[in-house]
Amino acid sequence: MAATRDESKVQVDVTLYGASGFVGKHVARYLIAAAAAASNQKEPLRLTLAGRNRHRLEERKDSLTTTSDVTLDVIVADSSDTVALKAMAERSRVIINCAGPFINYGNNVVAACAEVGTDYVDITGEITWAGQMRATFGYQAKKSGARCISLCGFDSIPSDISIFAAVQALRKAKGDSVQIESGCTWHSVLGMANGGTLHSALEFPLDINHCLRVKNGDKTSFRKVPFLVDDPLVLANPSLVRYNPEYDDFRDGLAAAEWKNQFPSIDSNFGSGMSLAFFMAPVNAKVIAASAAALQYGPNFVYRERFLPLGYKWTRTLGLFTILPGLIFQFVLFVSMGIFMIPILGKKLADVLLPPGSGVPDSLLDSCYADVYAEVTAAHSTENAADSVDRASCFISFEGDPGNLVTAQCVSEAALCLVYNRNELPSRSEDGFGTPAELLGPVLLKRLEESKVRKVKIVTQVHLNSPKHETQVYM
């Protein structure tokens, strides 16, 4: 049984670590706006701005416009100062971590939260690091009662929560025992990367040997299905799932689907238009896989994640004529990524074009958007089952730049779930770590849909006994 926190030490609701950074600025603004818009909030939101540089934190504090709905203070805690980080965690109900690259600056923050029982969310997309944190600190979070949830920004809440919503809708229609066979998301976005995101990507560790080979005792052999970037179950519970041989077939199916997802495809539901692999698919797929294992979507569940360069409307309108612009977009993307991956030169180029702390000008952020359309399918049990499936869809539309405003909204609402909606949350995982869908689920969906800061449109539909090759989208 998890220990009970000493509530007398809790002085603030949310501590924003990395508050002086580019995304930290937008998270702080969102939290303040959400507190001002909350009609049922009896007490002000107690918010602390935290980081390693007091001068920059004080500047950030002075730049924020607050009302009586928020109290604001500053605390200094370097990522290497374990004593200061523990003190920061003890005084906080929830910590939002925006200080990346997380592989360099995140370990001690997670360790402090797991030790003292402070809930933790972050905006990392570093799946290998997040998996290491669960394996390393899960036993402490299990004892302390902390909930630790990584990947709460644009990576990977839109993908994770849209698939979750579609699964829940199909289960409501068919019963909780329904076995989900497949899930797919199609993304349409307009936005730009910021400096922190680019530099975190360049720091991303890739263990080729681990992806290709498996060790059995003193011997190594090639994997049945190689990993794409990392183990599909890297974020799942280490003892119950990731290292459980009963999940080997599930892992191989997920890995095969990830490789298949890398190729362009012609999608009937988008007017036979071309879709490409979404550039964050290798990350988001690991989150959905962990959710699928924890929430038991089905033993044969597989996931794909697609991107429509011309958007939903024009892809359906132009159909096969999207093939050429799609291939051109993919070529340009590969060349750009290849340049940034060149040793030394890529890092220097990133420092010049997008140094850490830089990003999209505020004047452009509001004109951007992030839409995701998700579908899940299950077998239809009739005589015509070979030609039909039961299908549920979920369309979610966010306003603003994906990597900044959408990320700020997602991680802020995740944190506010833990502050204001604890009694409504799903059951805590065995070790306290988990995905947004697993540990926040319907509460997060509700908070996003009811946001008074930036509107989020959510449309969920169920279509039983529908054609296996759907020709419609439901938005």
Side-chain angles (χ1 to χ4, degrees), residues 174-237:
K174 292 195 65 179
D176 290 340
S177 62
V178 64
Q179 300 294 297
I180 309 299
E181 295 184 341
S182 69
C184 184
T185 54
W186 289 265
H187 292 260
S188 174
V189 301
L190 177 63
M192 293 175 58
N194 57 45
T197 300
L198 178 58
H199 285 264
S200 290
L202 294 177
E203 296 278 351
F204 198 99
L206 182 61
D207 187 341
I208 300 294
N209 188 59
H210 170 65
C211 291
L212 296 178
R213 302 177 68 88
V214 59
K215 187 174 182 179
N216 295 307
D218 295 331
K219 298 181 179 180
T220 60
S221 59
F222 285 103
R223 297 188 183 278
K224 184 178 179 181
V225 183
F227 297 160
L228 179 63
V229 178
D230 207 335
D231 181 353
L233 296 174
V234 63
L235 299 173
N237 186 293

Side-chain angles (χ1 to χ4, degrees), residues 297-329:
Y297 288 173
N300 300 314
F301 176 81
V302 292
Y303 175 70
R304 296 189 307 132
E305 183 160 292
R306 314 301 297 164
F307 174 61
L308 301 174
L310 299 184
Y312 299 138
K313 178 182 177 181
W314 284 108
T315 299
R316 283 186 58 82
T317 301
L318 297 176
L320 292 172
F321 289 102
T322 60
I323 292 177
L324 181 58
L327 292 176
I328 292 173
F329 179 90

